[in-house]
Amino acid sequence: MPEAGMPLPSHLARYVVDQDYGAYTPRDQAVWRHIMTRLTAHLKDWAHPSYLRGLAAAGIGTESIPSLEEMNGRLGRLGWRAVSVRGFIPPAVFTEMQALGVLAIAADIRTHEHIDYTPAPDIIHESAGHAPILADPGYSAYVKRCGVAGFKAIASREDQAVYEAIRHLSVVKEDPGSTPEDERAAQARLREARAGRTYVSESTRASRLYWWTAEYGLVGTLERPRIYGAGLLSSLGEAAHCLTGMVRRVPLSPACVDQDFDITAMQPQLFVARDFGHLFEVLEAFEGTLSWKRGGTYGLREALRAGTVNHLVLASGREITGRVVQLEPALACLEGPVMVGRRGRAEGGPYPGPAVVAFGPGELPGAGPFRLELPGGVLLSGRRQDGDEVLDLAGTLEDRPLALPARALLLLAESLPSVAGGPADPEAWDRWYGASPAALGEAEQRARQRKGNALPPRLAALYQEVRTLRQGGGGGRARLEAIRLALASFPEDWLLAREVQELLPAAASPTDVALVPEQP
């Protein structure tokens, strides 16, 4: 993993997009202002003390959507930086960025129809939710370490199906071109993906720990906790709901990783940490359950069950990346392609064929025929080429032939200290086998364009005029009254009506009030 503060490696940098600040509409700015002014008023009494201090420390105000360039000038003092991404990015990318002190901020902003809560990542959640609490050094360190654990956890093929279904649902919900049928189909896809899980992977458990702490965590006493989770800090609905009697509060413990969650609904139960030091206690206990820390047979079985690309760290320090497809006593077989390296760096190019890792004492002989006795009665034979490749590989277990590839890489290790998620050198693996950058974020980008085009030109002009008036661009009560009258043509747009009423220098008359649609 690269050092914090260094330029992002290419396999992470390709998820970064330009914030395109000019693409935010005046209504987007009104959404930001509406949420932030109400959240800060509510949270001054209920958020962790770091929150309000952190807003200023991170360069986040209530009047305008923050510029990430300006935010970075502040975040750098906290040991963080921000990059703009489009929608949900793969969990391994998100957690690796997090481990490096990089806050991935979704450039989009929720629609005013979903102003209280949205399951889609947006700039309100990522910047106003996550960034402020990073001003607390202890919590900041926890988030980075949590990112390491999530990055090292082994994900399954089933996890990928759930991730894709969640991402699709978030796009559909925020796309003004979506129909109710589209949303029902997306919900059904997510239910199907979740139902298809045959077990709870390490990655899923890591995501639950993150959810119940960094996203939906409370801290303090059960009777009067404070809010620190970004999902609560960035949602008008959740911030009000989470401290009511409708939500069960329980002490945080490692058992939180066994509690699933629903991103489409408000949470009926939340976990309360004693303090931020408590987070480290729970995280350390969780880390001890991961193959990354346990290695050995346990890790190999977890990798086999996951069916995904992971990497084995041998006692010698060498690392081999690939998909574990077969386990035998003292042997692990990886499907090709595979990659060999050391200390997170690939050595040479990928090997297109399979690999066999044998566990036992000693060393492999030089080039030529060999016969190797391994613990448990396993015998291997073949002809070693230059390097790690062998030909005519064969093996027996107590005279029973083993189904081994005739041509493969063969590595010998005395033990296996670690089995960790994903490739050992993600940048090299991505360079050879990664997805096309052109395919990243296309659905989110199309949805953003449709959202920008969904605002009728006349209504867009009214939003712009009100924003100009708010910023001191001239006009007065007479103009605001005229805008209020014009809003009668847009009875569903309660947000702009509220913006106008806030700007009127005198109290509205009963007639005026009738012109303001109620917030849904």
Coordinates of all heavy atoms in Angstrom, one line a residue, residues 71 101 117 272 510:
M71 N -11.6 22.9 0.3 CA -11.6 21.9 1.4 C -10.2 21.3 1.6 O -9.8 21.1 2.8 CB -12.6 20.8 1.2 CG -14.0 21.1 1.5 SD -15.1 19.7 1.4 CE -14.4 18.6 2.7
G101 N -5.8 8.1 4.1 CA -6.2 9.4 4.5 C -6.8 10.2 3.3 O -6.7 11.4 3.3
Y117 N -33.4 12.2 3.3 CA -32.5 11.0 3.3 C -32.4 10.5 1.9 O -33.4 10.5 1.2 CB -33.1 9.9 4.2 CG -32.3 8.6 4.2 CD1 -31.1 8.5 4.8 CD2 -32.8 7.5 3.4 CE1 -30.4 7.3 4.7 CE2 -32.1 6.4 3.3 CZ -30.9 6.2 4.0 OH -30.2 5.1 3.9
V272 N -23.9 2.3 20.7 CA -23.3 3.5 21.4 C -21.9 3.1 21.9 O -21.8 2.2 22.7 CB -24.2 3.9 22.6 CG1 -23.7 5.2 23.2 CG2 -25.6 4.2 22.1
P510 N -51.1 36.2 5.9 CA -51.8 34.9 5.6 C -51.9 34.5 4.2 O -51.8 33.4 3.8 CB -53.2 35.1 6.3 CG -52.9 36.2 7.3 CD -51.9 37.1 6.8

